[in-house]
C-alpha cells in the first residue's frame, strides 16, 4: 500500500493512499468533530462539522470526503472553522426541540456532547420549535422527530448494514422528515426486522428503546463495526465458520 | 441519410416554401400561448381557408420572436418583401392580417413593429437566429436553414480533439450560471477513461422568471440535438440525456415536442447508430425532473437521472471523472449546447471576436421588470447594462426611475444605478458582487424595496433547499425569518449583524451551489442599499413603498391602529 505524507496543523503525519483526511487524522491520534459520519457507514457530507482548510485553497472541504494526497497541507482547527462549527450546532439546536432535561438521551447524547465540546453556551437564533408528532407504533422503539437532526445515520445503517431500507426522507429543506416504509407508522412497516441498528446509531434521542425514561437511553454506535467485522470474518456463515474452526 | 441527402432535403424544403407567396408564422411559445396565441393560430388558418388561399399562404406555428410582453406575435414572410412583425395580435387582427395585409396589401399599422424598432436593433441573434422563423415540429425547416450541416462537417472533417479545440478557441463559457470554459470541460471528459460516456443537457432552469432554455427548446429543439451530438462525438459519448424540468403547466407539451424532434432526427439518421453514415452513433433520451431547483445542480441532477432522490453530493469526484453510474459525463446547459452548431458554422475565430477579453459570444437574457419592453433578448457580451435597459428595454416605464437590476436570480445580486455602464462580462459582474448567472435580468424601479427583494429570493431558496446540509437547511430559514422581521419593521440592529454573519457562514460551509449562493442577494443589497435596511430597523420605515411596512408600527400604535 502506498504511503503518503501530509501536514496537519503543522505536524507531519503519514497515511495510506485512499484514506480520507478524517481517517488519517484520527489514525494519527488527532480529532476532527463529526456528526453525520459514522465508521462503517457510507459518508454523507451533510453536517459540515468536519470542514477543514486546505493550504492553497480558499474553499473549505469536508474531511470525511477529502482523499489524502502527498504533500497536502491541512488545518483542522482554525478560528474560522471553530466559529462555523459552533454555528452549525447552534443552527441544529434551533431547528427542532432539544430540551435535554426531559430527553431520554440526556447525558449520553452526541449532539449535547458536541455542543459542550465546542463551547456552545447559547443559541443566537430563534428556536423554530415545530410541533412534530412522535411515532410510538413500533413494539420496541420510539421515533421522536423533535429530536432528529436529519443526519441520516439511521437510513444508512438500515440500508447498508441491515439491508432493509426502512428509512428514507420525505419533503425537502426545512420540511425534511425521516420516514419509515412508504411514510407509514413504523410499526406497520413489514420490512423492519426489529434489529435496532438505527436506534444504536442515532446520535440523539430521536430514536430510543421503548420504556427508557429521561437519561436512561444509552447507545452503542460502535456495534456497527462489530457487525461488519463479524460479517467479514464470516461469523454467521456456517461454511466459513466450519473451515475456520477446522483450522484452529 | 448522408451529406448529399441532407442537402437534397434542405433544397426540397426550400422549394416547398417557395411555392407559397406568403408564410404567416404565429409564435407558439409559452408566453404568447398564455396571451392567446392558440386562438390566433386557429383564426389565421380559418381565414386562409375561408378565402381559399391555401395554395398561396402557409400558416405555421413557430418559436419565440422575442418581444414576449407584446404577445401574441406574428411574422409575415413574403417572397417579394421583408418580413413584417406584428405585436398584440388578437383573433380580429389575425383575420385582418390575412384579409387586409396579404390580400389587399394594406398592413395594419396599429400592430406593426417597425423594422428599426430599438428593441431589436441592438441585439445580436446567433443562437436565437432561427427562433420564430421555423416550425419547431418540422425537422425539414431547420435543415432548410442549414441545420445539421455543422454535425455533418464535424463528422467528416474533424477529429474529436479538433472539435474540443474549436470550442475552446471560441471562448464559449458555460451558460448555466458558472461560466466554466466549455472547451476545458469537453477536453476533461474526452481524456477521461471509461467504456461508456454520457452527455447531459441541463434543462432544469428553475430560477424564478428565467425562460431562456425553455424557449430554446420550444423554438428550435434540433439546434440542441445537433449540439449534443457534436458534443458526444467530441468527448466520445454514445448516449445523451436531456434533463427537463417537469411538474409545471405546459411541461408535457414541451416533452412531446422534444420527443417528436428526437424521433424525426432518428428517422433521418441524424441520431442513433452510424449517424450520417459515419462510424459515430449517439442516442438521446429524455429524463424528467420533478420540478426542483436543486436538480439543476449537476450532482443532484445525475442522482435524479439515476432514479435517486435529487440531492447533491460533494465534489470531487467531478462528473467529468465519475458521473452517471460512475462513467465520465459531460454536463452542459441547453444554451451552451445550442451555441455549438453556431460556433462550428461561423468558425471559432468569428465567434470569439464578439465580446470582451474573458467573455465571448452572445448571451440570452430574460429581460423583465419595470421597462417599456421586456422579453427574451440575445446580446453580444460586452454590451453595457445601460444599453440593455435604455435602448433594448426602451427605458423605464413612465414616471419610474431606475434603481437597480437584479441578475442571476436567487444566486445573483443587484446592480445599482452607479454601475449602469458595466459591460456584460462574467468577471466584471463578479467584481461588483453580482453574477451574469443563467440569464435572468429584472429591472427594479424606485418603488422596489430591497430588503423585500432579498426576502423574496431567500424564501425561494428556503423552499428549494434539499435539506441535506445544515447551513442551507436551517440557515435559509433563519435568514428568511430575520429578513421577514426586517421588512415588517420588527428587527434590531443585532439581527443585522447576525444576518451578515450567517450569510458568510452559509456561503463558505454549504455543500452545494444553492446554499453557497443563497446569501448573494442579501449581501449585494446590503452592499449597495444598507441604508434601506437600517431605515426599516431604526425608523420602522420603508423608503420605497412596495414593502409591507410603509409606516412605522409605533406610529400606528400611537394612532390607535396597532
Ligand atoms: C442550485 C443550482 C441550480 C442550478 N440550476 C441550473 C439550471 O437550471 N440549468 C443549468 O444549466 N445549470 C444549472 N446549474 C449549474 C449546473 O450545476 C452546471 O454547472 C451547469 O449545468 C453546467 O453547464 P454549463 O457549463 O454549460 O453552464 C445549477 C447549479 C446550482 C448550484
Ligand atoms: S432519527 Fe436519528 S439517526 Fe435518523 S436522521 Fe434523525 S437524528 Fe439521524
Ligand atoms: S446547500 Fe442546500 S441544496 Fe445544497 S446540499 Fe446543502 S441543503 Fe441541499
Ligand atoms: S462528518 Fe463530514 S459532513 Fe458530517
Amino acid at each position: 500500500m502506498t504511503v503518503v505524507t501530509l501536514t496537519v496543523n503543522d505536524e507531519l503525519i503519514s497515511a495510506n493512499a485512499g484514506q480520507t483526511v478524517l481517517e488519517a487524522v484520527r489514525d494519527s491520534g488527532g480529532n476532527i468533530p463529526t456528526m453525520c459520519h459514522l465508521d462503517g457507514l457510507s459518508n454523507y457530507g451533510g453536517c459540515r462539522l468536519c470542514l477543514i482548510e486546505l493550504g492553497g485553497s480558499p474553499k473549505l472541504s469536508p474531511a470525511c470526503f477529502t482523499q489524502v494526497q502527498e504533500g497536502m497541507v491541512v488545518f483542522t482547527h482554525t478560528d474560522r472553522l471553530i466559529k462555523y462549527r459552533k454555528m452549525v450546532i447552534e443552527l441544529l439546536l434551533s431547528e427542532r426541540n432539544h430540551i435535554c432535561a426531559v430527553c431520554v438521551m440526556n447525558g449520553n447524547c452526541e449532539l449535547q456532547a458536541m455542543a459542550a465540546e465546542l463551547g456552545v453556551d447559547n443559541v443566537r437564533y430563534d428556536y423554530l420549535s415545530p410541533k412534530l408528532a412522535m411515532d410510538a407504533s413500533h413494539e420496541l422503539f420510539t421515533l421522536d422527530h423533535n429530536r432528529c437532526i436529519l443526519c441520516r445515520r439511521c437510513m444508512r445503517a438500515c440500508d447498508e448494514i441491515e439491508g432493509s431500507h426502512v428509512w428514507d426522507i420525505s419533503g425537502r429543506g426545512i420540511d425534511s422528515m425521516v420516514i419509515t416504509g412508504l411514510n407509514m407508522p413504523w410499526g406497520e412497516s413489514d420490512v423492519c426486522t426489529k434489529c435496532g441498528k438505527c436506534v444504536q446509531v442515532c446520535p440523539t434521542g430521536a430514536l430510543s428503546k421503548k420504556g427508557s425514561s429521561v437519561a436512561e437511553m444509552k447507545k452503542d454506535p460502535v456495534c456497527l463495526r462489530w457487525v461488519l467485522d463479524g460479517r467479514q470474518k464470516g461469523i454467521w456463515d456456517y461454511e466459513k465458520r466450519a473451515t475456520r474452526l477446522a483450522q484452529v | 441519410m448522408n451529406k448529399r441527402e441532407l442537402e437534397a432535403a434542405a433544397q426540397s424544403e426550400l422549394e416547398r416554401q417557395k411555392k407559397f407567396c406568403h408564410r404567416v408564422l404565429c409564435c407558439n411559445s409559452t408566453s404568447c400561448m398564455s396571451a392567446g396565441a392558440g386562438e390566433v393560430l386557429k383564426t389565421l388558418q380559418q381565414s386562409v381557408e375561408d378565402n381559399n388561399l391555401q395554395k398561396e399562404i402557409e400558416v405555421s406555428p413557430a418559436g419565440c420572436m422575442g418581444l414576449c410582453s407584446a404577445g401574441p406575435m406574428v411574422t409575415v414572410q413574403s417572397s417579394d418583401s421583408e418580413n413584417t412583425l406584428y405585436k398584440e395580435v388578437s383573433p380580429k387582427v389575425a383575420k385582418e392580417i390575412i384579409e387586409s395585409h396579404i390580400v389587399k396589401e394594406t398592413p395594419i399599422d396599429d400592430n406593426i413593429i417597425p423594422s428599426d424598432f430599438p428593441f431589436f436593433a441592438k441585439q445580436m441573434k446567433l443562437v436565437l437566429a432561427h427562433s420564430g422563423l421555423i416550425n419547431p415540429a418540422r425537422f425539414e425547416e431547420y435543415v432548410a436553414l442549414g441545420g445539421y450541416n455543422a454535425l455533418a462537417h464535424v463528422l467528416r472533417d474533424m477529429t474529436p480533439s479538433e472539435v474540443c479545440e474549436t470550442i475552446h478557441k471560441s471562448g464559449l463559457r458555460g451558460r448555466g450560471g458558472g461560466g466554466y470554459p466549455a472547451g476545458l470541460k469537453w477536453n476533461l471528459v474526452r481524456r477521461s477513461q471509461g467504456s461508456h460516456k454520457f452527455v447531459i443537457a441541463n434543462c432544469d432552469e428553475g430560477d424564478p422568471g428565467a425562460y431562456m432554455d425553455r424557449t430554446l427548446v420550444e423554438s428550435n429543439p434540433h439546434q440542441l440535438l445537433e449540439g449534443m451530438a457534436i458534443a458526444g462525438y467530441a468527448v466520445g459519448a454514445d448516449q445523451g440525456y436531456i434533463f427537463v424540468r417537469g411538474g409545471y403547466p405546459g411541461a408535457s407539451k414541451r416533452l412531446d415536442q422534444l420527443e417528436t424532434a428526437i424521433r424525426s432526427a432518428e428517422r433521418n439518421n441524424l441520431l442513433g447508430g452510424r449517424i450520417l453514415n459515419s462510424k459515430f452513433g449517439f442516442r438521446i433520451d429524455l429524463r424528467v425532473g420533478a420540478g426542483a431547483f436543486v436538480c439543476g445542480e449537476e450532482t443532484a441532477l445525475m442522482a435524479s437521472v439515476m432514479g435517486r432522490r435529487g440531492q447533491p453530493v460533494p465534489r470531487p469526484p467531478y462528473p467529468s471523472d465519475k458521473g452517471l453510474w460512475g462513467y465520465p459525463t459531460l454536463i452542459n446547459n441547453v444554451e451552451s449546447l445550442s451555441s455549438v452548431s453556431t460556433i462550428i458554422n461561423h468558425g471559432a475565430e468569428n465567434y470569439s471576436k464578439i465580446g470582451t477579453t474573458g467573455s465571448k459570444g452572445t448571451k440570452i437574457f430574460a429581460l423583465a421588470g419595470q421597462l417599456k419592453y421586456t422579453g427574451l433578448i440575445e446580446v453580444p457580451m460586452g454590451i453595457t447594462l445601460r444599453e440593455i435597459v435604455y435602448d433594448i428595454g426602451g427605458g423605464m416605464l413612465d414616471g419610474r426611475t431606475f434603481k437597480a437590476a437584479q441578475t442571476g436570480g436567487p444566486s445573483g445580486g443587484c446592480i445599482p444605478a452607479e454601475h449602469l455602464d458595466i459591460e456584460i462580462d462574467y468577471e466584471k459582474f463578479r467584481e461588483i458582487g453580482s453574477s451574469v448567472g443563467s440569464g435572468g435580468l429584472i429591472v427594479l424601479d424606485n418603488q422596489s424595496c430591497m430588503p423585500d427583494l432579498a426576502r423574496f429570493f431567500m424564501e425561494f431558496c428556503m423552499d428549494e433547499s434539499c435539506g441535506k446540509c445544515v447551513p442551507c437547511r436551517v440557515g435559509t430559514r433563519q435568514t428568511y425569518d430575520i429578513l421577514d422581521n426586517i421588512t415588517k419593521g420588527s428587527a434590531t440592529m443585532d439581527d443585522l449583524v447576525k444576518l451578515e454573519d450567517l450569510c458568510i457562514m452559509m456561503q463558505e460551509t454549504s455543500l452545494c451551489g444553492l446554499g453557497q449562493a443563497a446569501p448573494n442577494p442579501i449581501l449585494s443589497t446590503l452592499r449597495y442599499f444598507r441604508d434601506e435596511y437600517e431605515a426599516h430597523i431604526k425608523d420602522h420605515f420603508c423608503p420605497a413603498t412596495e414593502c409591507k411596512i410603509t409606516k412605522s408600527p409605533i406610529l400606528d400604535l400611537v394612532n390607535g391602529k396597532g
Side-chain angles (χ1 to χ4, degrees), chain B residues 294 312 464-469 472-473 510-516:
Chain B
V294 71
E464 294 293 336
S465 162
C466 81
K468 174 166 179 171
C469 70
C472 172
R473 183 179 77 230
S510 292
L511 196 167
C512 86
L514 195 156
Q516 288 161 5

Side-chain angles (χ1 to χ4, degrees), chain A residues 44-48 51 58-60 62 65 80 83-84 87-88 91-92 94-95 124-126 128 149-150 152 169-174 176, chain B residues 291-293 309 311 314 316 462-471 473-475 477-478 481 485 498 501-502 504-505 508-511 516:
Chain A
Y44 183 64
C47 73
R48 317 308 283 167
L51 288 180
K59 280 196 155 184
L60 308 180
F65 264 91
R80 176 160 73 136
K83 176 177 165 189
Y84 291 159
M87 287 171 86
V88 164
L91 288 174
L92 278 179
S94 77
E95 186 182 14
R124 282 169 295 167
Y125 312 110
D126 288 346
L128 302 177
I149 59 168
L150 296 164
R152 272 86 154 173
I169 296 287
S170 77
R172 66 181 180 213
I174 197 77
S176 305
Chain B
F293 178 56
R309 184 180 156 92
Q311 199 168 264
M462 176 176 78
D463 289 342
E464 294 293 336
S465 162
C466 81
K468 174 166 179 171
C469 70
V470 182
R473 183 179 77 230
V474 195
R477 172 65 195 267
Q478 291 289 3
D481 281 357
N485 285 341
K498 219 156 57 174
D501 215 27
L502 202 50
I504 309 283
M505 183 257 189
E508 297 208 76
T509 60
S510 292
L511 196 167
Q516 288 161 5

Side-chain angles (χ1 to χ4, degrees), chain B residues 120-128 354 361-362 378-380:
Chain B
F120 296 104
K122 285 221 168 167
Q123 292 195 44
M124 182 188 265
K125 298 218 175 190
L126 291 183
V127 182
L128 286 173
I354 310 165
T362 56
E378 181 174 355
V379 290

Side-chain angles (χ1 to χ4, degrees), chain B residues 175-188:
Chain B
R175 301 291 191 234
Y180 189 81
L184 285 185
K185 203 191 267 186
W186 286 30
N187 259 322
L188 281 176

Side-chain angles (χ1 to χ4, degrees), chain B residues 122-185:
Chain B
K122 285 221 168 167
Q123 292 195 44
M124 182 188 265
K125 298 218 175 190
L126 291 183
V127 182
L128 286 173
H130 301 333
S131 171
L133 298 179
I134 57 176
N135 177 355
R138 292 193 64 239
F139 146 86
E140 294 84 353
E141 298 195 12
Y142 178 61
V143 170
L145 293 176
Y148 288 104
N149 269 341
L151 178 63
H153 170 56
V154 160
L155 290 181
R156 206 180 45 176
D157 309 319
M158 292 170 89
T159 63
S161 71
E162 280 168 0
V163 183
C164 292
E165 204 41 46
T166 305
I167 298 300
H168 184 59
K169 270 207 216 112
S170 75
L172 176 68
R173 293 172 63 170
R175 301 291 191 234
Y180 189 81
L184 285 185
K185 203 191 267 186

